Amino acid sequence: HWDVLRTDNAGEQWSEVMHRSSGTPLYEQAAAERIRLSRLEMLRKTTEAGTPAEKKPTAERLARRIKIVSVDPQRFPENDQLEEMRLLRITLKPKLGERELDRSEIRVSVVFYDEDASSRDVNPTRVIVPKEALRLEGGWDMDDQQTVTAAYIVPKNFRKKEQEKYGQRCRYFGYIVQVFYREQLQDEDAR
């Protein structure tokens, strides 16, 4: 398909931009685009396999009833049990004037990505991360913001075992956060 060809080509182009812009602000934008494109490719594959990845194309998305206000990453120092731990605090807010959101229908999908140090391939991580979409806890006054947290945890010696098993020396690369309401994408953020 032509659209697949374009996506693959775009991925290669962003990889080249990343390679040339290391250490500059452009690097983060290129990395976010590369993550977004690999996510699209994964969605395309799961859709072709008959799994409902995203139920409807972008054009049919709901008007944004919920938006991501901020995604605040935190990194914790290494300790006896962990090689690495990161938290993402994701803050959401309903659209102005929104009054009737069913909280049980809100899902926050977080996919963390790792990069292979030698091949530069970017793939969903194998470390401990949320396996399912996050749900909102407690009550939510529609005038307030709501925060959910996703953790990325690398146990001690995990990377060494991963390298032995898969022949890849992986490291943290980034994430994509997507907010869904009744299975419709509302907002997303990638770094």
Side-chain angles (χ1 to χ4, degrees):
H1 299 312
W2 170 240
D3 58 336
V4 174
L5 195 64
R6 268 197 336 237
T7 302
D8 292 347
N9 192 27
E12 287 169 24
Q13 288 172 359
W14 281 114
S15 293
E16 184 62 25
V17 172
M18 280 173 59
H19 182 67
R20 293 178 186 207
S21 66
S22 189
T24 72
L26 183 59
Y27 179 87
E28 189 171 292
Q29 183 191 345
E33 282 301 311
R34 194 164 157 214
I35 288 174
R36 192 179 66 76
L37 289 166
S38 60
R39 172 85 176 179
L40 283 173
E41 180 62 13
M42 280 180 6
L43 286 171
R44 185 187 64 75
K45 284 178 181 162
T46 55
T47 305
E48 283 178 2
T51 308
E54 269 195 282
K55 301 276 193 284
K56 299 198 171 155
T58 311
E60 294 177 44
R61 288 178 189 165
L62 284 178
R64 288 188 180 174
R65 299 180 70 181
I66 305 163
K67 64 180 183 177
I68 298 171
V69 178
S70 64
V71 179
D72 299 314
Q74 273 184 293
R75 186 174 180 185
F76 295 85
E78 187 175 346
N79 64 32
D80 296 345
Q81 285 90 36
L82 304 175
E83 285 180 29
E84 186 178 359
M85 179 170 152
R86 296 170 186 264
L87 286 183
L88 284 186
R89 288 177 50 80
I90 303 149
T91 304
L92 309 174
K93 189 173 175 79
K95 188 180 75 176
L96 201 63
E98 189 66 63
R99 285 281 168 260
E100 295 180 13
L101 287 176
D102 179 352
R103 288 178 51 264
S104 69
E105 297 274 6
I106 299 169
R107 304 274 182 282
V108 182
S109 166
V110 182
V111 180
F112 287 97
Y113 291 85
D114 285 344
E115 179 184 51
D116 182 332
S118 51
S119 73
R120 303 296 234 191
D121 283 344
V122 174
N123 288 296
T125 187
R126 297 183 187 102
V127 308
I128 301 167
V129 293
K131 286 188 168 40
E132 296 179 4
L134 307 169
R135 295 167 182 254
L136 301 185
E137 304 283 325
W140 190 5
D141 179 341
M142 288 290 128
D143 295 326
D144 289 340
Q145 298 178 349
Q146 178 91 11
T147 300
V148 293
T149 304
Y152 171 100
I153 299 168
V154 185
K156 256 306 188 235
N157 298 318
F158 182 90
R159 292 298 190 195
K160 185 169 169 253
K161 291 175 190 164
E162 182 179 49
Q163 188 170 359
E164 288 166 3
K165 186 171 180 179
Y166 299 100
Q168 293 179 315
R169 196 160 51 84
C170 294
R171 59 187 172 209
Y172 177 81
F173 186 78
Y175 63 82
I176 185 164
V177 175
Q178 294 181 310
V179 181
F180 292 88
Y181 182 64
R182 294 187 172 148
E183 305 298 326
Q184 298 288 326
L185 183 62
Q186 303 292 304
D187 202 358
E188 61 185 353
D189 185 69
R191 289 276 188 290

